[in-house]
């Protein structure tokens, strides 16, 4: 399993628009992808213009399919990317899951 974590800092005042795009993307992208095991996006109520993506994929090929999808290219790499100041892609290995 491949785990990805993305802390994302948005341009000021873009929280609502970013959330709209993520809500539109989830059923079109991850919701349709066999190899996407989980797709979770968090907001911090005390920190505006910030999101945390936590995603789990069956393997690297599933992640590549995810980022290669037309929904990803249009909504995330396209529209969502215009709202970002910076993000970091962090790979993780699962240690414990209950």
């Amino acid at each position: 399993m491949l785990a990805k974590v993305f802390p994302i800092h948005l341009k000021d005042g873009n929280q609502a628009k970013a959330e709209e795009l993520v809500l539109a993307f989830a059923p079109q992208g991850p919701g349709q992808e066999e190899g996407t095991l989980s797709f979770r996006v968090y907001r911090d109520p005390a920190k505006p213009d910030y999101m945390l993506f936590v995603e789990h994929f069956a393997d690297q090929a599933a992640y590549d399919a995810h980022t290669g999808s037309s929904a990803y290219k249009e909504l995330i790499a396209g529209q969502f990317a215009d709202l970002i100041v910076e993000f970091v892609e962090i790979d993780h290995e699962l240690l414990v899951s209950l």
Side-chain angles (χ1 to χ4, degrees), residues 16-27:
K17 179 64 177 169
E19 289 182 17
E20 286 176 24
L21 288 170
V22 170
L23 290 169
F25 172 65

Side-chain angles (χ1 to χ4, degrees), residues 36-95:
T36 299
L37 305 177
S38 72
F39 178 79
R40 295 185 173 131
V41 180
Y42 301 89
R43 66 175 161 217
D44 183 343
K47 187 177 184 180
D49 300 314
Y50 171 83
M51 299 176 98
L52 179 68
F53 284 52
V54 180
E55 308 173 34
H56 296 91
F57 301 93
D59 52 25
Q60 184 64 46
Y63 179 67
D64 293 343
H66 168 74
T67 58
S69 74
S70 59
Y72 182 91
K73 289 177 182 176
E74 177 189 345
L75 296 172
I76 300 301
Q79 297 176 48
F80 186 84
D82 291 339
L83 307 178
I84 295 174
V85 171
E86 112 181 289
F87 79 97
V88 178
E89 180 177 337
I90 306 168
D91 291 344
H92 286 74
E93 293 180 352
L94 181 65
L95 180 62

